[in-house]
Amino acid sequence: MMGSENADGFEETNLNVPKEEMENLVLNGDGAGDGTGDSSNSAYRSAMSTLSNVHDPLSPLPTVLTPANSDPLTAPSSYIEPPSYADVIFSPFDETSDSEINGGEDSSLSPDSLSRSPSSSSSDYIKITVSNPQKEQETSNSIVGGNTYITYQITTRTNLPDFGVSESSVRRRFRDVVTLADRLAESYRGFCIPPRPDKSVVESQVMQKQEFVEQRRVALEKYLRRLSAHPVIRKSDELKVFLQVQGKLPLPMSTDVASRMLDGAVKLPKQLFGEGGASAVPVHEVVQPARGGRDLLRLFKELRQSVSNDWGGSKPAVVEEDKEFLEKKEKMLDLEQQIINSSQQAESLVKAQQDMGETMGELGLAFIKLTKFENEEAVFNSQRTRATDMKNLATAAVKASRFYRELNSQTVKHLDTLHEYLGMMMAVQGAFADRSSALLTVQTLLSELSSLQARAEKLEAASSKVFGGDKSRIRKIEELKETIKVTEDAKNVAIREYERIKDNNRSEVERLDGERRADFMNMMKGFVVNQVGYAEKISNVWAKAAEETSQYDREKQSS
Amino acid sequence: MITEQARNVMQSPRSPSSQPYLSASVTDPVKLGNGVQAYISYRVITKTNLPEYQGPEKIVIRRYSDFVWLRDRLFEKYKGVFVPPLPEKSAVEKFRFSAEFIEMRRAALDIFVNRIASHPELQQSEDLRTFLQADEETMERFRFQETGIFNKKPADFMQMFRDVQSKVSDAVLGKEKPVEETTPEYEKLKHYIFELENHLAEAQKHAYRLVKRHRELGQSLLDFGKAVKLLGACEGEPTGKLFSDLGTKSELVSIKLQKEAQQVLMNFEEPLKDYVRYVHDKLMLTRSDKVGEAEIEYREMKAESEEATIRFERIVKRMNEEIVRFQEQKTEEMGVAFHQFAKGQARLANGIADTWRALLPKLEAASSA
């Protein structure tokens, strides 16, 4: 994991250690100056003051090395916060990169919301926060008491008219999230629904409780924010119920997966007569299966049973004839693979950048210690010269190290887009799976229909041979004809469902393609602007050090 | 690397023929032999107008153990002088003999010979002349003489001897400063050198790691570039082309990093390592028997012999001169190394900025479209 959500924490931890060391070194060196070798120390101080007096855009930074400051390290956070830092850092002549950096950093992707595409207009606003995990206990009649579980506070702020209230806050447990995800999967077949966080059963056992709860809290927040970013799902009743209804979540828990396919089809009559999508269905209808479909429900359940019992029968596997769809599916799989690969390489890159920064910093520190040592022990002038040279190098190295680390925390934010889209690829697969299962339903019904009709024909033929009619056969034929009619209806419903899901697929994939392109472009832009900006800063730092040691430039001297 | 004055005086072939000069270079490493017996031979080219030497130019073939022989002879004969250090005799690296290792060794040996040639006292050594002039058979004979029947390398043998001597002198003189008048500076020097070596070694360690980091960052950018190119192949336009360009630039930056890694290794880490070797040797020197021996003599004969006093004082004086020389040389060399490092890093960063910057117009155009 790239842990972009921890970007600030990670930054802090890594900066603190070397800074403390540096503080000790510098302040001790200063304090120990009285008494031993005054001459060496005044040389040191004069070197320091020339350093801080030099006018250059980077001068605010080295305050950490100036002994004059009593608390050189009180403002480390100003180096991390982008706005003030960018103001200080960029040289005035480089205006394009300056504005780009500022712009880039402003629009740098926060993990919250992905897409900058015009589909989400800026006046729509919905923000979800997950916080405040607490332990609660299941009410139970036994003396021992029930299981404990964790609930999270989920706060929603929005100006969307659908929501009614502009701010709401509920407590939910993870199980409720699973329920929400399952209900959405049923209601929005064919849509690219963001995948919910894993149950992580193993991790919950192995990790420290606090760490695990925090990890889960972050994951929940990401998930809910993604849901609310989806133009159709954000208006769903299921989500609204989840976010606003106090107390127990009034959505039914998961039924067995095998029946989901059938349950989904059951809601169709209402949906078909409504707006398409669940928007017209009143909330309480969502909560129970539609009554009108009970016969169909029974039929489908029996059908399902017969399919699972009869492998050897004349039931073909899903035959997908739509070439375009098959191609698209291939492409999506390929894309997913490449996103996985890129995401992995991005992680390696981030690690390499971090290591570079760390080692550079350690090098700088080692030279600072050397400088201090040489100055303390100075007997010869050449030693003092050498100490000054080393100091220049050390200063540059420490500054460069800081820049590398900042570069990296920005890089993490940008490249996290790749990681986000891994989740979205799963959503696409889910949408395709919905389509396939709907097609399976249609094909199963078709073949069932044809076998029923064949039976009916046989019976009719047999009964017509008997003079006066065969009472029992005739009855059977009547029943069969009833079944055929119901099956015929079901087939029509299933076909319409299939078409609907196909449409959903198409529009979703199109929407997602557009969003993905926009997000990837933003990612690339942010990444490149970042690299350019920090490379320039680092270059300036070293150019200064090279200038300070220019008397050693052998290339200039003629042999 | 050598102080400018020394080089100019001694090594400029273009100076008028009346000006004495002596310069040597170590070139053309060639791997000879097989398996465990394998070794590298080098061409040592000497250019000089000194009368003691044969002709204006002489070329001989030498191997690492010949250099070791030379160093040991000088070390023995020139007490108090800072004899330049040799690169390590790495038993493991030897087997692999990578191109990088060979080049690094050659460069270090070249520096070694040149330092001796430009040292005011060492350059007059007869052993140096032998080393630079003698034919290969003669050289081999000299080398084997040193080894003797102990089957040890000369360096190891001498080291053992020195250790015994210094233990003796320690026992005789006690752990305390033996004679106040002669050794407070000496003790201070020893302590300084000891501390200095530690600090330098740490800096060198980080410098070496930094070389590795350059390579790692380069590699990860290469892999990243390939990955985004593949990703671009899946995407339609304009994203696809952008990814492809991003990948290409990433690969270019990777190449720059690899190049700089090599530069940092040769121009920064090696000089630092060399500095560490130097200081380490000085440490050995200050612990060596020569001074200790002279000290024993000094105490024993203080009352009676002027000669011992004079000899001791001469050694100390020479050591002090050497220290000054050493300090100045080091400051110069390190200054050069620092400057080159800073310049290299600045060039690298600039190059990286330019490479990435080329993408910005396209990215800008695409995202506003």
Side-chain angles (χ1 to χ4, degrees):
Chain A
M1 280 298 283
M2 284 191 271
S4 59
E5 61 273 11
N6 291 329
D8 278 306
F10 140 95
E11 177 78 345
E12 278 297 336
T13 343
N14 281 324
L15 273 176
N16 279 341
V17 172
K19 266 186 182 165
E20 277 165 21
E21 276 196 57
M22 274 169 18
E23 179 181 18
N24 288 336
L25 282 176
V26 169
L27 294 179
N28 287 342
D30 194 39
D34 320 325
T36 60
D38 284 336
S39 56
S40 63
N41 266 286
S42 62
Y44 180 80
R45 277 212 200 86
S46 67
M48 295 278 18
S49 53
T50 41
L51 184 69
S52 52
N53 285 341
V54 167
H55 172 66
D56 76 321
L58 298 167
S59 50
L61 277 181
T63 51
V64 94
L65 291 175
T66 308
N69 277 354
S70 54
D71 52 341
L73 302 178
T74 48
S77 54
S78 68
Y79 302 149
I80 304 170
E81 239 78 282
S84 53
Y85 183 53
D87 289 338
V88 168
I89 285 315
F90 277 93
S91 20
F93 58 79
D94 207 357
E95 262 146 19
T96 42
S97 64
D98 186 23
S99 58
E100 269 166 9
I101 285 291
N102 279 329
E105 282 177 355
D106 287 342
S107 70
S108 80
L109 300 167
S110 49
D112 321 356
S113 51
L114 269 180
S115 180
R116 306 283 144 199
S117 57
S119 62
S120 49
S121 57
S122 49
S123 58
D124 283 351
Y125 169 85
I126 174 167
K127 176 131 184 221
I128 301 179
T129 331
V130 176
S131 59
N132 201 7
Q134 271 174 23
K135 202 189 280 195
E136 291 185 22
Q137 195 159 48
E138 267 174 15
T139 50
S140 156
N141 291 328
S142 81
I143 305 167
V144 180
N147 291 328
T148 58
Y149 58 90
I150 305 280
T151 61
Y152 303 83
Q153 183 172 337
I154 301 178
T155 314
T156 312
R157 286 197 186 88
T158 177
N159 65 356
L160 293 178
D162 296 326
F163 273 74
V165 200
S166 64
E167 183 166 332
S168 48
S169 188
V170 296
R171 285 218 146 250
R172 295 280 180 243
R173 56 186 289 189
F174 189 75
R175 216 165 56 183
D176 296 333
V177 177
V178 175
T179 306
L180 170 66
D182 292 342
R183 297 288 81 75
L184 284 174
E186 287 162 17
S187 304
Y188 290 92
R189 301 181 75 208
F191 280 85
C192 298
I193 310 174
R196 66 156 169 81
D198 290 333
K199 287 184 184 164
S200 310
V201 174
V202 174
E203 275 178 286
S204 69
Q205 300 302 326
V206 165
M207 281 177 78
Q208 297 282 17
K209 191 67 187 248
Q210 238 180 338
E211 233 184 285
F212 178 73
V213 168
E214 174 58 18
Q215 183 182 288
R216 181 163 269 189
R217 183 198 68 75
V218 168
L220 288 179
E221 196 173 81
K222 263 194 178 166
Y223 172 62
L224 291 172
R225 284 181 180 176
R226 282 202 200 122
L227 285 183
S228 65
H230 192 295
V232 176
I233 290 180
R234 64 163 35 166
K235 300 190 180 131
S236 73
D237 293 318
E238 288 89 346
L239 185 62
K240 268 184 249 170
V241 162
F242 179 90
L243 291 175
Q244 297 189 310
V245 175
Q246 297 288 341
K248 191 160 157 8
L249 181 69
L251 295 176
M253 302 261 291
S254 286
T255 50
D256 72 291
V257 176
S259 303
R260 262 177 46 197
M261 181 188 82
L262 303 169
D263 287 350
V266 160
K267 288 206 201 73
L268 278 177
K270 283 283 177 193
Q271 287 166 352
L272 286 176
F273 301 142
E275 294 292 321
S279 50
V281 180
V283 175
H284 70 272
E285 284 287 350
V286 169
V287 166
Q288 300 136 25
R291 236 173 300 141
R294 284 233 198 274
D295 289 338
L296 281 176
L297 175 63
R298 194 171 2 113
L299 175 67
F300 283 162
K301 280 204 165 123
E302 287 164 5
L303 195 58
R304 192 81 188 126
Q305 198 58 47
S306 73
V307 164
S308 54
N309 289 344
D310 183 9
W311 275 113
S314 56
K315 313 293 193 301
V318 176
V319 174
E320 184 60 75
E321 283 160 358
D322 189 343
K323 272 218 179 95
E324 209 181 297
F325 171 69
L326 283 171
E327 270 174 28
K328 191 69 182 169
K329 200 164 164 207
E330 272 296 308
K331 267 185 153 182
M332 281 295 163
L333 279 172
D334 198 18
L335 180 66
E336 183 178 344
Q337 198 47 53
Q338 298 315 325
I339 294 181
I340 291 174
N341 187 27
S342 301
S343 175
Q344 283 169 347
Q345 297 311 329
E347 276 195 44
S348 296
L349 175 60
V350 162
K351 170 132 200 330
Q353 275 180 177
Q354 181 186 336
D355 287 343
M356 178 70 108
E358 256 176 45
T359 302
M360 189 66 88
E362 284 167 351
L363 181 72
L365 268 183
F367 274 115
I368 288 180
K369 284 191 206 158
L370 247 177
T371 305
K372 199 167 90 90
F373 171 73
E374 289 272 54
N375 272 318
E376 279 170 6
E377 308 280 338
V379 170
F380 305 99
N381 280 327
S382 61
Q383 276 174 299
R384 289 193 202 95
T385 313
R386 197 159 65 231
T388 309
D389 296 335
M390 257 183 231
K391 160 79 70 42
N392 293 331
L393 191 81
T395 311
V398 166
K399 282 187 206 168
S401 156
R402 201 175 297 141
F403 285 144
Y404 269 112
R405 284 188 260 225
E406 283 173 24
L407 162 70
N408 208 29
S409 72
Q410 295 297 319
T411 304
V412 163
K413 284 192 194 138
H414 291 124
L415 294 184
D416 204 39
T417 309
L418 288 168
H419 212 77
E420 295 278 307
Y421 269 93
L422 276 182
M424 287 322 286
M425 294 315 288
M426 277 174 62
V428 171
Q429 278 183 20
F432 287 169
D434 288 343
R435 176 185 163 135
S436 293
S437 83
L439 183 59
L440 175 62
T441 307
V442 168
Q443 287 176 346
T444 311
L445 283 171
L446 279 173
S447 89
E448 181 70 13
L449 201 55
S450 76
S451 79
L452 283 172
Q453 276 163 347
R455 259 172 63 196
E457 273 171 33
K458 256 172 68 179
L459 276 177
E460 272 178 347
S463 115
S464 68
K465 290 192 181 127
V466 176
F467 184 72
D470 182 336
K471 281 233 173 70
S472 74
R473 277 218 184 91
I474 288 174
R475 204 170 43 244
K476 276 198 194 131
I477 291 172
E478 290 298 322
E479 279 173 14
L480 208 51
K481 285 220 162 111
E482 272 296 316
T483 310
I484 287 175
K485 185 170 177 311
V486 175
T487 311
E488 187 75 47
D489 284 341
K491 178 204 78 172
N492 291 332
V493 164
I495 287 177
R496 269 179 292 201
E497 167 76 341
Y498 174 61
E499 292 299 325
R500 191 181 72 93
I501 290 180
K502 273 209 293 192
D503 278 339
N504 288 342
N505 258 198
R506 211 172 294 131
S507 65
E508 277 284 271
V509 166
E510 218 175 275
R511 177 185 67 86
L512 210 65
D513 274 352
E515 274 183 23
R516 190 182 64 249
R517 271 189 207 118
D519 286 336
F520 277 169
M521 281 209 287
N522 269 329
M523 170 184 82
M524 282 192 266
K525 187 165 154 203
F527 173 75
V528 171
V529 163
N530 208 31
Q531 293 285 335
V532 172
Y534 280 102
E536 282 173 0
K537 291 181 204 182
I538 290 171
S539 165
N540 286 339
V541 157
W542 289 114
K544 180 155 174 280
E547 202 187 292
E548 284 162 352
T549 53
S550 59
Q551 76 258 39
Y552 298 105
D553 190 343
R554 298 294 154 249
E555 282 173 23
K556 276 194 202 145
Q557 296 192 7
S558 54
S559 59
Chain B
M1 285 288 203
I2 317 298
T3 62
E4 276 311 301
Q5 312 159 272
R7 238 191 216 272
N8 284 339
V9 166
M10 294 308 291
Q11 299 187 338
S12 166
R14 286 193 253 120
S15 59
S17 50
S18 55
Q19 279 272 35
Y21 70 88
L22 171 69
S23 84
S25 55
V26 178
T27 63
D28 287 335
V30 172
K31 182 173 165 197
L32 297 173
N34 288 314
V36 185
Q37 307 291 336
Y39 66 96
I40 310 276
S41 75
Y42 305 87
R43 259 167 150 216
V44 180
I45 305 173
T46 310
K47 291 195 175 90
T48 178
N49 64 357
L50 296 178
E52 302 88 3
Y53 283 80
Q54 309 162 13
E57 185 173 307
K58 177 97 187 190
I59 301 180
V60 297
I61 306 290
R62 293 287 178 258
R63 54 187 287 184
Y64 181 82
S65 13
D66 297 325
F67 289 82
V68 173
W69 172 88
L70 174 62
R71 188 175 187 278
D72 291 337
R73 301 287 299 184
L74 293 174
F75 195 89
E76 222 186 296
K77 289 203 177 140
Y78 289 86
K79 299 155 194 143
V81 170
F82 289 179
V83 178
L86 277 174
E88 294 77 22
K89 176 120 185 122
S90 163
V92 174
E93 280 290 336
K94 189 178 126 111
F95 284 109
R96 289 188 285 141
F97 277 155
S98 67
E100 191 179 283
F101 170 76
I102 291 175
E103 172 53 23
M104 272 166 53
R105 180 167 270 198
R106 184 209 62 75
L109 290 174
D110 185 83
I111 290 171
F112 169 74
V113 170
N114 273 294
R115 280 193 180 135
I116 296 175
S118 50
H119 190 288
E121 282 191 63
L122 297 178
Q123 76 201 186
Q124 296 168 35
S125 142
E126 204 183 295
D127 293 315
L128 178 66
R129 278 202 291 282
T130 308
F131 177 83
L132 291 175
Q133 311 268 298
D135 60 65
E136 282 73 48
E137 287 98 33
T138 314
M139 193 67 235
E140 205 174 310
R141 234 185 311 126
F142 268 106
R143 203 174 69 231
F144 276 124
Q145 270 175 10
E146 290 297 308
T147 320
I149 58 169
F150 291 101
N151 259 352
K152 274 193 177 288
K153 293 283 180 256
D156 300 333
F157 183 67
M158 293 308 293
Q159 184 60 54
M160 272 170 50
F161 191 68
R162 266 181 239 132
D163 283 338
V164 168
Q165 288 276 19
S166 85
K167 281 197 178 68
V168 168
S169 66
D170 273 345
V172 168
L173 301 173
K175 298 280 182 188
E176 314 296 317
K177 298 174 193 172
V179 183
E180 276 124 39
E181 310 95 284
T182 57
T183 58
E185 272 175 19
Y186 184 62
E187 286 298 310
K188 189 172 178 211
L189 178 69
K190 260 171 41 181
H191 179 261
Y192 164 76
I193 290 177
F194 182 75
E195 286 292 316
L196 182 64
E197 189 187 349
N198 283 340
H199 282 118
L200 280 175
E202 199 191 325
Q204 184 258 327
K205 183 178 83 177
H206 292 303
Y208 183 70
R209 273 206 209 127
L210 192 67
V211 171
K212 243 183 24 170
R213 299 305 187 207
H214 278 75
R215 293 200 173 125
E216 285 163 5
L217 185 58
Q219 185 62 44
S220 74
L221 274 167
L222 188 68
D223 294 336
F224 179 72
K226 292 202 182 113
V228 298
K229 271 182 170 172
L230 288 173
L231 180 57
C234 293
E235 292 277 38
E237 297 311 322
T239 324
K241 181 77 173 42
L242 288 172
F243 269 128
S244 164
D245 290 340
L246 185 77
T248 307
K249 294 303 181 194
S250 200
E251 289 169 348
L252 286 175
V253 172
S254 162
I255 292 172
K256 286 188 203 282
L257 278 161
Q258 298 291 2
K259 281 201 183 133
E260 180 63 16
Q262 195 56 26
Q263 293 300 309
V264 174
L265 181 70
M266 300 302 295
N267 297 333
F268 184 66
E269 196 265 344
E270 273 300 295
L272 264 176
K273 204 154 96 177
D274 179 73
Y275 197 168
V276 175
R277 282 188 206 124
Y278 235 123
V279 174
H280 183 76
D281 278 358
K282 297 329 132 208
L283 202 59
M284 300 311 297
L285 174 69
T286 59
R287 285 181 179 160
S288 85
D289 60 306
K290 305 309 156 202
V291 182
E293 211 178 78
E295 277 177 334
I296 300 170
E297 274 193 54
Y298 179 76
R299 280 191 92 192
E300 289 172 349
M301 302 188 206
K302 183 165 75 164
E304 304 161 26
S305 168
E306 246 181 62
E307 198 186 306
T309 317
I310 293 172
R311 243 182 60 196
F312 181 76
E313 282 172 359
R314 224 186 73 211
I315 290 177
V316 172
K317 176 168 179 281
R318 186 197 249 160
M319 264 187 75
N320 286 334
E321 283 169 4
E322 274 292 285
I323 290 168
V324 174
R325 217 185 120 267
F326 166 71
Q327 293 283 17
E328 287 171 1
Q329 182 185 312
K330 270 302 146 210
T331 303
E332 170 73 16
E333 286 173 9
M334 290 317 294
V336 170
F338 292 157
H339 180 73
Q340 282 187 300
F341 178 66
K343 249 178 44 176
Q345 291 292 304
R347 273 196 203 126
L348 174 70
N350 262 329
I352 292 178
D354 289 341
T355 307
W356 289 121
R357 204 182 287 117
L359 284 176
L360 286 177
K362 281 187 218 171
L363 283 169
E364 200 57 53
S367 59
S368 56

